[in-house]
Amino acid sequence: MTALLQARGLVRCYAGQKSLFTKPSLVRAVDGVDLTLNPGETLGIVGESGSGKSTLGRMLLGIDAPTEGQVLFDGQPMPALHSAPWRALRAQMQFVYQDPLAALDRRLTIARQIGEPLEIHGLATGAELAERVAELMAQVGLRQDQGARYPHELSGGQRQRVIIARALATSPRLLVCDEPVSALDVSIQAQVVNLLRDLQERHGIAMVFISHDLKVVRNICDRVAVMYLGRIVEEASSDQIFAQPEHPYTQALVSSVPVPGKRLQGRILLKGEPPNPAQRPAGCAFHPRCAAALQICAQSVPPLQPTAPARRAACHLLDASHAGQAA
Amino acid sequence: MTAQATNITAAPSLVRRLRIRVPLLVAFGLAWLGLMVFTAVFADLIRPYDVTQMDLSARLVGPLSPGHLLGTDELGRDVLSRLIQSIRVSLAIAFGATLLSAFFGTTLGFLAAQFRGVVEHLILVLADFQAALPFLILSLAVLAFFGSSMVLLVGLMGFYGWERYARISRGLAISAGAQGYASAVVQLGAKPSRVYLRHILPNVASTLIVSMTLTFPEIILMESGLSFLGLGVQPPESSLGNMVGFGREYLTRAPWIMLGPAFVIMMTTLSISLVGDWLRDKLDPTIR
Amino acid sequence: MLNYFVTRLFRAVLTILLVMTFAFVVLRLSGDPASILLGPDAPTDSIAAFRARWGLDDPLWKQYLAYLKSIAQLDFGVSMRDRSPAIDLVLERVPATLALTVPTLLIQLGVGIPAGVYAALHRESVADRGVIMLSIFGFTIPSFVMGLVLVLVFAVTLGWLPSGGQDSWQHAILPIATMSVGGIGILARFSRSAMIEVMGQPYIRTAMAKGLSWRDVVWKHALPNASVPIVTIVGFMVGSLIAGAVVVESIFSWPGIGRLLIVSVSNRDLAVVQCLLLVIASAMVIANLCVDFAYGLLDPRLRAKAAAH
C-alpha cells in the first residue's frame, strides 16, 4: 500500500525579533519531521503550545510552505503554493479549524458556505448543489432549516459542524483537524469528536488530528506522534503509547490523563520553564525538564529511531549503550 | 497606520451626543439630502427659467420679487434656476468623484493586502506624496498645466481621499486573510478574485460606505473652492462654488446671488455629516 | 529611536524627490517647456539658449538629471510676466503669507485645544454642547463663504474693518479670523475626543482611585497622553492652512503666495507654479517631519524602543 501523505525532513523557520542593528534570529518552529500517513488512517499529533504541531499540520496540508524538506501527497510533491494545481488539489484535502466562527464568513448563510467548495471546484450546480448541501447537513447533524441561518446565529458546536460539512463537501481523502474541539464546551466536545470519528470511518478519510489533549486523541486516533519543540519525540500506536510510554516526556503527559474510577497515581509533574522555540536547549531539548536526564542528554540530540515494530522514540535512555549509566 | 485610521474616523461621531437629544437632526439631514437629490435629478423640470436666459431689463432684482423667487443676477438671469442647475452639477461631480476615489482606493488597498512587500511600499510612497501637497494646491497645479475641463475635474477629484479607502480595505483584508474566513476560503481552493469580490468586499462594504460619507462633503467643499477661485467648473456651466465666486463681485449690491448657493453648500455638507455619523453607528460599530 | 528618525528623514527626502519628478513629468506632458517657461513670444535666440542650457534635445533621463541639478541651484526658470526669476517672485511673497498663517495657527492652537479639553472634562454641559455645535459649523462652512460673510458684516454693513489689501494691521484681522474658524473646529473636536478617550483609560481611574487631586490627574496623566494624537492632527492642519491661505488671500487681495498661485495658474505662468509647488511641498514635508519628531519624543513607547537597541 502506498502512503497517502509523506513528510520528509520538514523544517519551518520564522524570523524572530528584527531590527536594523541585529541580525534577525531564526526560530525553528518545526525542526526536521518525518511522517507517513496511510489512506484511511488517523494520526494524532500531541504537544504543548509552541511545540510546532499546528505549523506541522499546515505544512502537511500544503497551506504553509516548508522552509526545508518536502511533503508528498499520493507520491507527488505538493504543487507551488496558490498555483492552479495547488488550488485543484484542495478538493482532496481539507482543514477543520480551532475557531469555527473566525473561519466562516459572517455575511453568508451556512448553506451557501457549505456548498462553496462544490462551486469553487465546479462539482455541482443548481438543484444538485442544493441536494448535496442538504445531504451534508444531515450527515453532520444539522437541521435543514438551519441552512438559512448565519454563523453568529448558531452555537459553537453547530458552527464546528458547519466547518466539518464544508470540509467534507468535496469528498476529500485527507482531513487535517487543528484543535477542532478545544474552543468548545466540554459537553459538546465528545459529540464533535464522535461525529468526526463516525465520518472518518464511514468515508475512509485519512485524518491528522492535532491536539494538546491526550484524552481526545486517544478516543479517535490509530497512531499518535508526540512533539516537543518542533521535533517528534515518540511515535507509536495509540494503545501502545498509553499503555507503555517510552519517552520521559510522553510518560509525563500520559500520567496526567485521568482514568475513570481510579485516583491519579504516580503523576509526573514537569519542572522548569515551558519550552520556548526561540531558545532551544542544546542536546535533547527536553533535558532541562527531564528527571532522568544523563550527561549526554545536554550534549547530543537523540535520534528518532525504531524501538519496536511500528514504534519510534528519540531518547538516550532507550539506547542500550547508555542504559547502564541510568542505574 | 490603523491607529491613525481609527482616530480620523472617530472624530465626527461626537455629533452622536447631540443626536441622542435631537434625533430630529438626522431626519432633517435625510430630508435635505432627499430634496437635493430630487433637485439634481429633476433639475430640467423644476427649473423656472433657462440657465442662460438673460433679461437685461430685470438685472439685480432682489429676492421674493414676482417671477424671481431668489432674485436675478447682473445679467438678469434667474438665480433660483441657476441654483437648481448648480446643485445638479456639483452633486454629479462629487458623486462621480466619490465613487472613483472609493474604487481606486479600495483596489489599491486590496492589491497591497494581496501582494504586500513592494506594492505596499509603492502605495505608501504615493500616500506620502499626496500628504506633502495640500489637495487644493495639487489640483490648482494640474489645472494650470492642462487647463480646466469637466472630465479632468471629476478625474482629479477622484483622487481625493483614496488613501483612506486604501488604508481601511488593506487593513481589513489583511486581518481577514491572516486568520479568518478569507484564509479559510483560500484553503478551500478559491481564486483570489473570488476571495476578494465574494467574501472580503461584502464584509468591508459597510465600512467603505461610511468612509464615503466622510469623503463626499469634503469633495463638495473642494470642488466649490476650486470653482470659487475660477479654476473649477467654467462658465457657461455653473456650480455652487462658481456661483459664489461670481456673486462675490456683487457682494455689496446683490448679496443674494452669493448667499443662496453658500447656504446650499453648508446645508448639504452639514446634512451628510449628520447622516453619515448616524450611518456609522448603525452600519458599523467597529469603525470607532 | 535613531532608526525611527532616519526612516522619517529618508521618506521626507523621497517625497520631495517625488514632487519634483511629478512637476517634471507634468511639465513635459503639457508641451514644450521652452515656450512654456519663457512664454510664447520669447525671442528665438533666447529659446535656443534655453534649449541648450536645459539640454532639451538630450534623452529624457539626461534632461531629468539636468532638471534636478538646476533645481538644486534654485533655478526654477523665469516668470512669463516680468521675466524675473520665479524663485525671487515666490520668496518675496512668503513673509505676507507667514503674517497670516502663523497668527492663525497660534489662535487655532490657543483656542481649539483648550476648548476641546474643557468640553471633554465637562461633558454634557452647556459649554460642551456649544463646542460641538461650533466645531460642526467650523467644519461645514467653506472658508470662502465665511470670508465673504465676514466682509459683508464687518466691512460692508458695519464698516469697522477694511475688506481687502495689506496696508495696516487691521487689514489682517478678517483674513486671520476667516482662516482660524475651520481649524479651531477641527482641533476642538480632536482634542475633545482624544481627551475623552484618555479619561476613560484604566490608568486614569487608578490615578483617581489612589487619591490624586483632579488637577494632577488632568495635568500629569491625561494631558500628556492626549497630546500624542493631537500633535498628529496639527501636522494635517499645516496643509489645510496653506490651502486656506490660497482661498483667503484671494478673497482679501492679500499679496501672499496663495494669491500668487491663483494668478499664476490663471495666466498659466508655469515656471512660477512649479516653483510654488516645490516650495509648498518642502514646507509641508518639513512640517510633517517636525510633527513626526515631536511624536517620537512624546510617545514613550518609541523612546522605550530606542532604549532597547
Side-chain angles (χ1 to χ4, degrees):
Chain A
M1 188 159 65
T2 55
L4 177 71
L5 190 71
Q6 246 187 312
R8 289 185 192 153
L10 287 186
V11 175
R12 174 75 171 147
C13 299
Y14 292 110
Q17 274 274 310
K18 205 165 47 170
S19 79
L20 197 69
F21 306 109
T22 56
K23 264 190 170 175
S25 58
L26 282 181
V27 176
R28 297 169 85 87
V30 172
D31 192 8
V33 167
D34 298 286
L35 268 181
T36 306
L37 185 69
N38 291 318
E41 192 186 20
T42 310
L43 171 70
I45 296 179
V46 179
E48 292 166 278
S49 58
S51 63
K53 55 188 193 307
S54 291
T55 310
L56 176 62
R58 294 173 63 84
M59 283 196 288
L60 291 176
L61 196 66
I63 51 182
D64 255 1
T67 314
E68 284 167 35
Q70 208 181 15
V71 177
L72 301 180
F73 185 79
D74 245 354
Q76 299 295 314
M78 196 67 73
L81 204 60
H82 303 315
S83 62
W86 179 88
R87 282 200 294 267
L89 193 62
R90 294 301 104 200
Q92 309 256 358
M93 40 175 74
Q94 286 293 320
F95 198 49
V96 175
Y97 296 83
Q98 175 172 4
D99 180 1
L101 187 58
L104 291 169
D105 189 334
R106 63 193 172 106
R107 293 200 171 253
L108 291 180
T109 61
I110 63 166
R112 286 282 310 273
Q113 301 198 54
I114 291 173
E116 188 157 25
L118 297 169
E119 279 180 47
I120 291 171
H121 295 284
L123 295 173
T125 49
E128 197 191 343
L129 182 73
E131 197 181 303
R132 182 91 179 95
V133 169
E135 197 182 301
L136 284 162
M137 286 179 60
Q139 272 188 25
V140 297
L142 289 169
R143 291 197 317 273
Q144 294 305 318
D145 63 292
Q146 286 168 332
R149 299 273 188 86
Y150 289 89
H152 62 269
E153 297 173 329
L154 301 179
S155 70
Q158 288 167 338
R159 285 178 206 141
Q160 196 57 289
R161 287 167 194 269
V162 174
I163 296 279
I164 293 170
R166 182 170 72 174
L168 291 177
T170 55
S171 310
R173 291 195 289 158
L174 171 67
L175 204 58
V176 175
C177 309
D178 186 4
E179 304 265 15
V181 296
S182 62
L184 303 180
D185 288 347
V186 180
S187 55
I188 310 289
Q189 286 188 358
Q191 290 178 19
V192 172
V193 169
N194 290 339
L195 172 69
L196 276 170
R197 194 178 53 198
D198 292 347
L199 291 169
Q200 188 266 330
E201 280 170 6
R202 199 179 332 157
H203 298 283
I205 309 171
M207 188 153 89
V208 174
F209 194 99
I210 298 164
S211 179
H212 66 278
D213 191 344
L214 274 179
K215 300 188 300 291
V216 176
V217 170
R218 173 186 214 165
N219 201 349
I220 196 169
C221 295
D222 304 326
R223 222 152 30 95
V224 176
V226 179
M227 284 189 81
Y228 192 84
L229 274 186
R231 293 197 184 128
I232 292 179
V233 294
E234 181 164 7
E235 187 192 340
S237 77
S238 186
D239 297 338
Q240 281 174 323
I241 230 167
F242 284 97
Q244 265 190 319
E246 288 186 328
H247 194 283
Y249 178 58
T250 319
Q251 287 164 4
L253 288 183
V254 170
S255 79
S256 65
V257 177
V259 180
K262 283 190 193 166
R263 278 182 68 92
L264 211 52
Q265 278 178 347
R267 184 169 179 198
I268 305 168
L269 287 173
L270 288 175
K271 53 183 182 172
E273 300 269 312
N276 174 7
Q279 285 166 330
R280 175 191 296 280
C284 172
F286 184 60
H287 85 264
R289 300 169 79 189
C290 182
L294 305 172
Q295 244 180 354
I296 187 172
C297 298
Q299 291 152 10
S300 78
V301 181
L304 184 65
Q305 52 195 4
T307 57
R311 195 157 190 191
R312 297 188 296 167
C315 180
H316 290 303
L317 292 168
L318 303 169
D319 196 338
S321 59
H322 304 302
Q325 295 174 319
Chain B
M1 204 164 177
T2 36
Q4 253 181 32
T6 44
N7 270 342
I8 287 166
T9 44
S13 66
L14 299 176
V15 191
R16 213 157 44 105
R17 275 247 26 80
L18 214 81
R19 201 189 47 246
I20 292 165
R21 287 280 159 129
V22 200
L24 261 176
L25 269 178
V26 176
F28 171 77
L30 281 169
W32 177 266
L33 290 182
L35 178 70
M36 286 303 106
V37 171
F38 177 84
T39 310
V41 172
F42 298 104
D44 292 332
L45 298 177
I46 55 179
R47 207 169 41 206
Y49 296 87
D50 198 72
V51 189
T52 50
Q53 185 187 322
M54 293 182 253
D55 180 1
L56 294 177
S57 62
R59 289 185 299 176
L60 299 179
V61 169
L64 299 179
S65 47
H68 299 289
L69 196 58
L70 292 182
T72 61
D73 66 6
E74 73 281 8
L75 295 172
R77 296 176 299 189
D78 183 47
V79 171
L80 179 63
S81 304
R82 289 180 65 75
L83 185 61
I84 288 170
Q85 179 65 16
S86 298
I87 289 170
R88 164 184 264 187
V89 171
S90 287
L91 280 192
I93 291 176
F95 195 69
T98 305
L99 286 181
L100 212 62
S101 130
F103 175 77
F104 180 60
T106 309
T107 309
L108 283 184
F110 282 167
L111 284 177
Q114 174 70 17
F115 296 105
R116 309 299 291 269
V118 180
V119 178
E120 225 164 24
H121 281 292
L122 270 176
I123 291 168
L124 253 174
V125 168
L126 213 58
D128 266 4
F129 168 70
Q130 190 138 12
L133 276 177
F135 196 79
L136 186 72
I137 310 282
L138 183 75
S139 314
L140 283 173
V142 171
L143 292 173
F145 286 122
F146 295 111
S148 184
S149 76
M150 203 66 154
V151 176
L152 184 66
L153 199 62
V154 175
L156 202 57
M157 295 291 118
F159 280 95
Y160 183 81
W162 64 270
E163 68 276 11
R164 185 181 290 150
Y165 302 101
R167 198 189 303 129
I168 291 172
S169 57
R170 172 187 163 276
L172 293 176
I174 285 177
S175 68
Q179 287 295 318
Y181 58 92
S183 73
V185 180
V186 170
Q187 190 278 131
L188 291 175
K191 290 183 189 147
S193 58
R194 183 189 186 92
V195 177
Y196 281 100
L197 298 180
R198 289 281 280 276
H199 291 277
I200 296 181
L201 191 59
N203 272 284
V204 303
S206 56
T207 314
L208 292 178
I209 289 171
V210 167
S211 311
M212 283 166 127
T213 64
L214 291 175
T215 318
F216 194 84
E218 289 167 9
I219 289 184
I220 289 188
L221 290 180
M222 191 66 70
E223 178 270 318
S224 53
L226 276 178
S227 299
F228 169 79
L229 294 170
L231 295 157
V233 174
Q234 299 295 321
E237 207 43 272
S238 75
S239 81
L240 294 172
N242 113 344
M243 275 185 82
V244 178
F246 285 107
R248 166 187 163 194
E249 323 222 335
Y250 298 87
L251 191 61
T252 44
R253 286 161 61 205
W256 59 85
I257 301 179
M258 161 251 148
L259 287 176
F263 179 74
V264 170
I265 294 173
M266 269 174 53
M267 290 308 294
T268 309
T269 49
L270 180 68
S271 300
I272 299 170
S273 299
L274 290 170
V275 173
D277 207 54
W278 171 75
L279 266 182
R280 186 160 31 254
D281 288 356
K282 282 271 161 197
L283 280 179
D284 197 12
T286 56
I287 197 167
R288 272 179 285 129
Chain C
M1 178 119 78
L2 191 68
N3 196 347
Y4 171 82
F5 287 156
V6 169
T7 324
R8 290 299 138 125
L9 208 61
F10 174 75
R11 271 175 62 176
V13 171
L14 192 72
T15 306
I16 294 203
L17 203 66
L18 207 65
V19 173
M20 293 204 270
T21 311
F22 170 80
F24 175 79
V25 168
V26 168
L27 196 63
R28 291 303 128 111
L29 279 180
S30 57
D32 181 12
S35 63
I36 286 172
L37 289 182
L38 296 176
D41 46 334
T44 27
D45 55 328
S46 69
I47 284 188
F50 181 91
R51 290 192 74 91
R53 189 168 64 87
W54 282 53
L56 288 184
D57 304 311
D58 288 339
L60 213 58
W61 64 269
K62 253 187 175 171
Q63 288 185 37
Y64 181 62
L65 287 183
Y67 165 79
L68 291 186
K69 197 175 150 207
S70 66
I71 283 186
Q73 294 162 347
L74 293 181
D75 177 1
F76 295 89
V78 283
S79 162
M80 268 169 19
R81 290 171 72 215
D82 53 8
R83 307 259 156 241
S84 51
I87 184 75
D88 294 348
L89 277 179
V90 172
L91 289 183
E92 74 182 33
R93 298 291 192 102
V94 168
T97 298
L98 288 180
L100 289 188
T101 48
V102 171
T104 302
L105 186 62
L106 292 179
I107 290 173
Q108 287 174 343
L109 295 175
V111 178
I113 295 176
V117 169
Y118 185 85
L121 294 178
H122 300 81
R123 284 185 77 178
E124 330 242 332
S125 68
V126 178
D128 184 22
R129 214 149 292 141
V131 166
I132 296 175
M133 269 303 242
L134 284 179
S135 72
I136 294 173
F137 264 108
F139 171 73
T140 46
I141 301 182
S143 58
F144 55 88
V145 171
M146 189 69 191
L148 291 184
V149 170
L150 287 182
V151 168
L152 197 57
V153 174
F154 291 100
V156 177
T157 312
L158 298 173
W160 291 352
L161 291 165
S163 65
Q166 192 208 10
D167 303 324
S168 68
W169 62 269
Q170 284 103 329
H171 286 85
I173 293 179
L174 285 183
I176 291 176
T178 307
M179 283 174 79
S180 301
V181 173
I184 289 176
I186 293 172
L187 257 180
R189 212 159 51 165
F190 258 87
S191 316
R192 183 181 176 277
S193 63
M195 200 61 187
I196 285 176
E197 193 174 335
V198 166
M199 291 302 283
Q201 297 293 320
Y203 57 78
I204 294 294
R205 254 176 289 143
T206 312
M208 288 201 259
K210 75 182 181 191
L212 231 56
S213 73
W214 177 246
R215 201 188 173 82
D216 278 356
V217 171
V218 171
W219 281 99
K220 292 189 180 157
H221 292 270
L223 277 178
N225 281 291
S227 66
V228 176
I230 294 175
V231 161
T232 335
I233 269 311
V234 173
F236 286 104
M237 287 182 47
V238 173
S240 57
L241 216 54
I242 296 178
V246 173
V247 174
V248 167
E249 286 176 8
S250 159
I251 294 175
F252 293 96
S253 323
W254 188 271
I257 57 169
R259 186 157 170 70
L260 180 65
L261 180 63
I262 297 296
V263 171
S264 310
V265 167
S266 317
N267 298 332
R268 300 200 71 188
D269 193 347
L270 296 188
V272 179
V273 172
Q274 175 199 289
C275 180
L276 278 168
L277 209 59
L278 288 174
V279 167
I280 291 173
S282 309
M284 284 288 290
V285 166
I286 290 169
N288 281 329
L289 211 57
C290 291
V291 167
D292 278 345
F293 285 4
Y295 194 72
L297 292 173
L298 277 172
D299 194 336
R301 278 164 300 183
L302 280 165
R303 279 205 303 260
K305 245 190 187 170
H309 280 306

